[in-house]
Amino acid sequence: MSRPGASPIPIAMNAIIHPFPPPAEAGTAPREAVVTFAGVEKTFRPRQDAPAVAALQGIDLSVMRGSILGVIGRSGAGKSTLIRLVNGLERPSAGRVTVDGTDITGLSERQLRAVRRRTGMIFQHFNLLSSRTVFDNIALPFEIAGTARAEIARRVDPLIELVGLGDKRNRYPAELSGGQKQRVGIARALATQPTILLSDEATSALDPETTRSILELLATVNRELGLTILLITHELAVVRSVATDVAVMDQGRIVEEGTALSVFSRPRHATTRSFLAGEGGWSLPAFLDGKLLAEPRPGAQAVMRIVFYGPHATDPVLSQLAREHLLDINIISGAVETIGGKPFGTLLVSLPGDARTLRETSAFLGARGLDTEVIGYVP
Amino acid sequence: MSPDLIRLIWQSTLDTLYMVVVAAGFGTIGGMALGIFLATSRKGELLAAPAANLLLGLIVNATRSTPFIILVVAIIPFTRLVAGTSIGTSAAIVPLTVAAIPFIARLIEAAIREVDQGLVEAARAMGASPLQIVRKVLVPEALPGIALAITLAVVSLIGYSAIVGVVGGGGLGDLGIRYGYQRFMPEVMAAVVLVLILLVQGVQTFGDRLALKLNKRLRHA
């Protein structure tokens, strides 16, 4: 079996018939929303006599053209409901959802079908028809749209090539691995040249390596075809590796949103922080866990989190700091990632806990564009 | 066994096959439509029509709980209306079909309800209409189950066809009763039972193989 992670996109991509019109010139066009939620509420009634449960409350959110918006939240946070509002699989109880300039809130089921043909969706469990081959699965959206047989045959094969499954054309889903099934799902979702791709936990059933290759494919599709992607997930790694923008959901609300870099470098809400808690530079090592004091004490060491990103992410600021201020800085943990292609890192350090040292350190690092935060003291 | 008896057994086998095949054919057409409707018309479902679903469900249950011998007699006026007569092999097809339709419908309903709802959601997300979902998703995905349902129905119809002897339906069961039992000819009875066993075996084997062939969920390259 070929390793799906090795080459997610066939090299001959430019040689094949492009299934999409070329993307609008990136960077020059003003940011324009493809999907907008305005004051969206959704309540469910589990049973007729049961009280209504609020799944979504006061959602205001825009998905910008050409972006990858990652919505992250725990299960039950309302992510699935949110994504299903975009293609009308769910209808809001209040507020408006606009897709590509069309307010879809008041549309009839028949009118919604036209909207759905302009959106693609991929699923956690792939949802491929077991009775159809790879080719026929990808042909399904064309059949639904009433495309002529000859036209279908012409358009499916480039899609199969696009997702790197040229040798699996006539296989049934049962003969494919999870990653290959999701590739079929992606090809099927791209079939009708959607204006937006909705990804519903598309990698949650996949192992980490396959997840990476599927995310690479999504990033490529976003970059090469200019396709806007709205993805929901409960995995931080997914959002961090591909999302350009992030919204954090908790209990039916969006508690934090912004560019991926700003949300992850300066997490404000407790939910965002809890997602980051497992990450190097955010979590406390076991020997410190539970031992932090909130207040300084004479002679105590301070534990400081330093977040560095952008142009200074790779500067040797800590050694400068140590030299210039004659400080003993002890690195506790740290991690460097890239978010949206930019280096981004967090460090946990301990240093003398007196107020003056901390003030000077913050000033020194702040002047170089780094964020600092004292998270506690150790005796 | 005399050549006459062998000819009689042969003729009865053909009668049985004729009744079963035609009743299964009409039963499949009717049962398919009814089964699809039952599987998709509850509240909140694809072709939601809860009242019609309830009503048809009641009729199906009523038909299925009526013993077949009573059904045969009870619908004689209807049989006469449809077949022009209430006696004979062709007339016997009417009660067989009437019994087969709800039987097949319930089995097909079950097969369709087995289809992963995620597939329905995926098709809806593609902009499929309810009828497109039925035609392109539900029926093809349920096909292995539908094949088994029809197999089961055919086997049951072979059994039922023995009972229509009471209205002159003919066939193997009728032969077994009249010659084997009433005329004390155990060799006829044995032959009839043997042919029936072979028929059922053949139908079941064929149906199982067909269902397996249609089932692409199993890896069998």
Side-chain angles (χ1 to χ4, degrees):
Chain A
M1 199 185 96
S2 68
R3 273 187 50 231
S7 169
I9 299 297
I11 295 142
M13 181 153 161
N14 292 328
I16 62 170
I17 307 165
H18 229 282
F20 276 76
E25 205 56 50
T28 56
R31 296 221 337 145
E32 170 206 3
V34 179
V35 174
T36 314
F37 300 88
V40 169
E41 314 267 332
K42 177 72 184 181
T43 49
F44 286 107
R45 218 172 262 281
R47 290 192 323 276
Q48 233 149 33
D49 52 343
V53 178
L56 294 175
Q57 301 177 61
I59 302 285
D60 293 295
L61 186 68
S62 294
V63 189
M64 295 299 170
R65 193 175 298 285
S67 71
I68 302 181
L69 172 63
V71 176
I72 185 167
R74 311 231 178 264
S75 48
K79 314 183 293 288
S80 296
T81 309
L82 181 80
I83 203 168
R84 279 166 177 70
L85 288 169
V86 178
N87 56 8
L89 292 179
E90 300 274 3
R91 287 169 183 269
S93 310
R96 284 185 305 114
V97 180
T98 313
V99 178
D100 221 10
T102 313
D103 181 353
I104 66 161
T105 318
L107 296 188
S108 70
E109 192 65 20
R110 179 182 294 273
Q111 289 168 317
L112 270 178
R113 274 177 229 148
V115 174
R116 288 176 188 149
R117 285 173 196 179
R118 289 188 280 118
T119 62
M121 192 166 190
I122 55 177
F123 305 87
Q124 177 172 6
H125 297 295
F126 324 121
N127 294 352
L128 302 179
L129 270 65
S130 68
S131 57
R132 286 178 172 239
T133 61
V134 168
F135 181 94
D136 288 331
N137 263 291
I138 301 171
L140 183 58
F142 290 114
E143 292 174 22
I144 286 168
T147 311
R149 275 262 152 226
E151 170 83 359
I152 294 176
R154 210 169 53 75
R155 288 178 60 184
V156 171
D157 280 320
L159 287 162
I160 296 178
E161 292 297 330
L162 175 72
V163 298
L165 290 177
D167 55 336
K168 305 286 182 202
R169 188 179 186 273
N170 298 315
R171 298 292 181 160
Y172 287 94
E175 300 168 295
L176 303 179
S177 70
Q180 290 167 336
K181 285 183 203 170
Q182 196 57 288
R183 283 163 189 275
V184 179
I186 292 171
R188 182 176 71 176
L190 296 179
T192 48
Q193 304 186 349
T195 48
I196 184 165
L197 176 66
L198 307 173
S199 167
D200 179 9
E201 298 275 10
T203 57
S204 298
L206 304 174
D207 62 65
E209 192 184 335
T210 313
T211 294
R212 214 171 309 128
S213 84
I214 291 296
L215 293 177
E216 273 172 37
L217 177 58
L218 290 181
T220 308
V221 164
N222 167 259
R223 202 170 50 239
E224 307 271 327
L225 311 178
L227 182 63
T228 311
I229 300 177
L230 170 61
L231 64 86
I232 63 169
T233 182
H234 63 269
E235 294 173 311
L236 179 72
V238 168
V239 174
R240 201 175 46 199
S241 64
V242 292
T244 55
D245 299 274
V246 174
V248 183
M249 283 195 78
D250 186 43
Q251 295 182 6
R253 294 177 186 278
I254 289 172
V255 294
E256 192 157 358
E257 63 167 302
T259 66
L261 197 59
S262 69
V263 169
F264 290 134
S265 58
R266 294 174 191 182
R268 293 186 307 273
H269 195 272
T271 305
T272 319
R273 287 171 174 261
S274 76
F275 271 109
L276 287 164
E279 302 294 305
W282 291 99
S283 58
L284 286 175
F287 69 90
L288 275 182
D289 204 16
K291 295 194 182 126
L292 280 193
L293 308 168
E295 296 300 319
R297 194 180 279 182
Q301 291 277 103
V303 176
M304 180 182 272
R305 178 181 291 127
I306 305 172
V307 177
F308 49 101
Y309 50 87
H312 295 287
T314 50
D315 288 357
V317 283
L318 275 193
S319 61
Q320 282 174 25
L321 175 68
R323 257 196 326 273
E324 290 177 25
H325 292 265
L326 299 173
L327 274 179
D328 283 332
I329 297 182
N330 184 19
I331 295 176
I332 299 170
S333 71
V336 180
E337 308 277 348
T338 53
I339 292 180
K342 293 179 184 117
F344 161 79
T346 46
L347 265 186
L348 268 187
V349 300
S350 70
L351 69 173
D354 60 286
R356 181 157 162 261
T357 303
L358 294 178
R359 203 169 49 242
E360 285 180 5
T361 303
S362 290
F364 178 90
L365 295 172
R368 283 155 185 79
L370 276 61
D371 289 341
T372 57
E373 180 190 8
V374 174
I375 59 170
Y377 299 86
V378 273
Chain B
M1 214 181 286
S2 74
D4 276 353
L5 267 181
I6 290 174
R7 212 173 302 123
L8 204 57
I9 291 171
W10 176 242
Q11 184 56 46
S12 298
T13 306
L14 290 182
D15 285 349
T16 293
L17 284 176
Y18 167 62
M19 287 187 289
V20 169
V21 168
V22 176
F26 286 128
T28 300
I29 295 167
M32 189 87 166
L34 186 55
I36 290 170
F37 182 78
L38 287 173
T40 54
S41 57
R42 282 189 206 154
K43 194 179 161 211
E45 290 181 334
L46 222 47
L47 306 168
N53 182 290
L54 188 71
L55 182 69
L56 286 173
L58 284 174
I59 294 173
V60 163
N61 291 345
T63 317
R64 295 205 53 209
S65 50
T66 309
F68 183 63
I69 182 82
I70 294 175
L71 185 79
V72 171
V73 181
I75 65 164
I76 281 178
F78 176 71
T79 304
R80 198 172 285 140
L81 189 74
V82 175
T85 170
S86 61
I87 295 169
T89 312
S90 295
I93 288 171
V94 176
L96 284 173
T97 305
V98 168
I101 288 175
F103 183 72
I104 294 176
R106 278 294 186 217
L107 292 170
I108 287 182
E109 179 191 3
I112 288 177
R113 287 198 182 279
E114 283 289 302
V115 175
D116 183 359
Q117 276 305 302
L119 300 183
V120 174
E121 187 179 45
R124 286 185 67 205
M126 287 174 216
S129 68
L131 284 179
Q132 280 177 321
I133 293 174
V134 167
R135 221 175 62 234
K136 294 194 173 288
V137 178
L138 291 179
V139 172
E141 286 291 307
L143 219 47
I146 291 173
L148 287 177
I150 294 169
T151 304
L152 194 56
V154 170
V155 169
S156 297
L157 281 173
I158 292 173
Y160 282 178
S161 72
I163 298 172
V164 291
V166 294
V167 289
L172 286 166
D174 183 45
L175 182 73
I177 294 290
R178 284 192 292 123
Y179 284 72
Y181 176 65
Q182 289 164 350
R183 295 192 193 178
F184 303 106
M185 296 171 80
E187 71 279 14
V188 174
M189 189 61 100
V192 161
V193 171
L194 186 69
V195 173
L196 286 173
I197 289 173
L198 289 175
L199 272 182
V200 170
Q201 281 292 346
V203 168
Q204 191 65 52
T205 307
F206 176 79
D208 287 346
R209 291 219 179 128
L210 183 67
L212 196 64
K213 198 168 153 51
L214 292 170
N215 189 348
K216 305 298 184 188
R217 265 168 287 191
L218 309 168
R219 286 168 192 258
H220 51 83

